[in-house]
Amino acid sequence: MKMARVLVVEDESAIAELIAVNLRHQGMLAILAPDGDAAQKAIDEVLPDVILLDWMLPGHSGLVLARRWRADARTKAIPILMLTARGDEPDKVAGLDAGADDYITKPFSTQELLARIRAVLRRRAPEQASDWVGVGDLQLDGATHRVTFQDKALKLGPTEFKLLNYLMHHAERVHSRSQLLDRVWGDHVFIEERTVDVHVKRLREALGEAGTMVETVRGVGYRITSKT
């Protein structure tokens, strides 16, 4: 079994070393980077299996780095866990919106951090988009990763594409946030259900006029419908 590579982007050496020691005890390989430049160099050499990314870094912040790696085809699928001293809801949402899969607030328990890392490493592969599906005038082609509405091409991020793919393949059905987390992000992912709300908002924005097709069912969850 391949040893998991964990890139730890943290400028506080004491915290970075503590994380590294615990990762090694779990049979993982820790690569330490004190800033964005060192992290990018490590990524250019060998892709990690997961990235632990501190929010406050010298030079580029963790938010800037998360956005950069999410926009790069080579790194967009790597799970990013953001380490932050910012515990307020708007800051957490900002981290998720930048592309982080999860966040953990300092000071944190090393056991909780390890549990979250293990969760993203062992999660089942979420449903893959591999065929065409249409709902009303909205069409999605899984093979080419294209989405159109009334024959106009739409640009979606990778998570929004997977979310739309799942909703369209199960049109008119209501899905709870926990169901969407399991089926879109993958089983065993240790993240809050608030993540789903953030990505549904982004999906609606990306869909433009078709955004109203994604309905909120109060107290239950979300569905996509052809009835606009």
Side-chain angles (χ1 to χ4, degrees), residues 80-81 96 100-103 116 119-120 123 181 185 188-196:
I80 297 175
L81 306 185
L96 293 171
D101 295 273
D102 196 3
Y103 50 80
R116 295 194 186 202
V120 297
R123 69 185 177 188
L181 280 174
W185 279 258
H188 302 300
V189 179
F190 196 103
I191 55 179
E192 293 188 3
E193 293 184 357
R194 169 68 173 161
T195 305
V196 176

Side-chain angles (χ1 to χ4, degrees):
M1 185 175 178
K2 182 174 77 76
M3 180 182 291
R5 298 176 64 88
V6 182
L7 175 60
V8 182
V9 190
E10 168 62 70
D11 63 318
E12 295 186 47
S13 58
I15 294 176
E17 286 297 337
L18 176 63
I19 293 172
V21 167
N22 282 277
L23 290 174
R24 292 177 191 127
H25 285 165
Q26 295 294 315
M28 302 180 203
L29 178 63
I31 301 96
L32 304 185
D35 55 39
D37 291 339
Q40 188 62 57
K41 183 178 179 182
I43 287 173
D44 291 342
E45 292 175 357
V46 183
L47 282 179
D49 296 295
V50 62
I51 299 172
L52 295 185
L53 178 60
D54 188 29
W55 180 307
M56 302 296 289
L57 290 168
H60 296 303
S61 72
L63 288 181
V64 171
L65 295 172
R67 290 193 188 99
R68 177 200 298 173
W69 292 330
R70 279 293 171 258
D72 188 331
R74 184 168 175 266
T75 53
K76 67 181 182 181
I78 300 174
I80 297 175
L81 306 185
M82 187 161 280
L83 306 176
T84 174
R86 301 167 177 263
D88 294 337
E89 173 108 340
D91 293 321
K92 292 178 179 180
V93 172
L96 293 171
D97 216 25
D101 295 273
D102 196 3
Y103 50 80
I104 185 165
T105 305
K106 297 179 180 177
F108 52 81
S109 154
T110 53
Q111 290 305 310
E112 180 185 3
L113 178 63
L114 290 169
R116 295 194 186 202
I117 294 171
R118 286 194 298 267
V120 297
L121 287 173
R122 72 170 179 256
R123 69 185 177 188
R124 287 202 306 253
E127 293 202 352
Q128 300 299 310
S130 58
D131 56 2
W132 180 92
V133 62
V135 177
D137 292 328
L138 186 63
Q139 300 181 350
L140 179 148
D141 189 336
T144 61
H145 255 241
R146 288 178 180 155
V147 178
T148 60
F149 179 66
Q150 297 177 344
D151 296 323
K152 180 182 177 182
L154 303 176
K155 185 177 180 181
L156 273 66
T159 302
E160 287 70 48
F161 184 89
K162 288 188 290 184
L163 177 58
L164 180 63
N165 172 65
Y166 180 74
L167 289 172
M168 289 182 69
H169 274 88
H170 304 84
E172 308 297 341
R173 288 174 52 187
V174 181
H175 306 275
S176 69
R177 291 169 178 81
S178 61
Q179 287 172 330
L180 290 172
L181 280 174
D182 284 348
R183 303 313 298 266
V184 178
W185 279 258
D187 198 9
H188 302 300
V189 179
F190 196 103
I191 55 179
E192 293 188 3
E193 293 184 357
R194 169 68 173 161
T195 305
V196 176
D197 300 330
V198 172
H199 287 287
V200 167
K201 178 176 178 290
R202 289 169 61 105
L203 174 60
R204 285 175 173 147
E205 291 171 352
L207 291 177
E209 292 179 17
T212 56
M213 296 174 66
V214 181
E215 296 184 341
T216 300
V217 180
R218 188 175 299 276
V220 183
Y222 298 101
R223 71 176 164 211
I224 194 164
T225 177
S226 59
K227 302 167 188 173
T228 56

